[in-house]
Amino acid sequence: MAIVFFLAVLVDLIVAVGVGLVLASILLTYRMAQQMNIDILNPQQDQVISGEIETIGEKCMRIIRIDGPFFFGSMTKVINLGNELLDTKVVLFDCSKIPFIDSSAVFALEDIFLTLNDKGIKVLIYADNKIIDTIKNLGITNIIPHQHLFNDLQKSVDHAKKHIKECK
C-alpha cells in the first residue's frame, strides 16, 4: 500500500495503479496457494474409508486428499506427488473438497496419472460433478477410464476394493 502511495506521489497515478494491480494479483495468488493442502493417507488413516476397507498394507492403497483451490499457484505441492506413490497398487484421489480447478492443475494431474499408469498403478478419482466435468472436458479420460471417475465415495471405495483383492 505504501509503495503504491509513494509511486502516485513521486511518479504518476497510472504507474501506481498498474503496480498496485500487479502486487494485488501476486498477493492473491500466494494466499490462495497457501490455502491448498494435500494429504497422503492409507485407508486406516482416513476416517471415512477406514471402516469400509479391512486392514491392508500401505503398499496396496493410498488416498490423496486435495483440499482447497487447485490452480497454477498451488502446483508446487503436486509436482513431486507421483514419486511418493510408485510403490502403491491403487491410488484414490479425493478431490471432493476442491472448490475450483483450472486447466493447469488438470494438466499437472494428467502428468501424475501418466506416471502412475506407466507403473501399473490404478488411479481412481472421487470428486463432485463440476470437477469431473472439467476433467472430462480437458481430456483426462484418455488416460483414466471413465469407470474410474466417481461422484459418490461409496462407489469409489467399492471399486477400489476390487483392485485391492488383486493386491493381497
Side-chain angles (χ1 to χ4, degrees):
M1 186 82 150
I3 295 170
V4 174
F5 173 75
F6 286 117
L7 283 173
V9 172
L10 299 175
V11 181
D12 188 8
L13 182 60
I14 294 174
V15 172
V17 169
V19 169
L21 286 172
V22 169
L23 290 175
S25 66
I26 291 171
L27 184 61
L28 175 68
T29 302
Y30 174 76
R31 286 186 180 171
M32 287 180 63
Q34 293 302 319
Q35 290 179 356
M36 190 212 148
N37 188 29
I38 295 181
D39 294 320
I40 302 175
L41 309 167
N42 61 35
Q44 291 79 23
Q45 294 171 319
D46 187 274
Q47 295 175 355
V48 177
I49 296 177
S50 64
E52 295 290 329
I53 297 179
E54 60 275 2
T55 303
I56 58 173
E58 188 176 284
K59 306 258 188 225
C60 288
M61 180 180 179
R62 294 216 183 127
I63 299 128
I64 309 302
R65 177 160 297 126
I66 303 172
D67 186 4
F70 201 33
F71 68 113
F72 69 92
S74 56
M75 295 291 51
T76 56
K77 294 180 181 181
V78 177
I79 298 299
N80 297 325
L81 192 60
N83 295 332
E84 295 180 35
L85 303 171
L86 292 179
D87 59 348
T88 307
K89 300 295 181 198
V90 178
V91 177
L92 172 62
F93 282 83
D94 181 354
C95 301
S96 61
K97 297 188 189 235
I98 296 177
F100 69 88
I101 187 169
D102 74 353
S103 60
S104 63
V106 172
F107 295 134
L109 283 176
E110 181 179 27
D111 289 342
I112 292 169
F113 298 159
L114 282 171
T115 302
L116 296 176
N117 280 339
D118 289 345
K119 300 295 181 184
I121 299 170
K122 304 289 185 198
V123 177
L124 310 174
I125 300 175
Y126 163 57
D128 66 5
N129 287 329
K130 180 181 169 188
I131 302 298
I132 289 175
D133 290 341
T134 302
I135 289 171
K136 285 180 183 177
N137 290 338
L138 292 173
I140 293 290
T141 52
N142 297 334
I143 301 166
I144 297 176
H146 180 72
Q147 301 83 4
H148 288 187
L149 301 174
F150 301 94
N151 61 0
D152 180 16
L153 180 61
Q154 186 61 47
K155 289 180 182 177
S156 65
V157 170
D158 290 343
H159 193 81
K161 285 179 186 179
K162 294 175 188 175
H163 296 292
I164 290 172
K165 287 179 185 175
E166 299 169 7
C167 177
K168 290 185 177 180

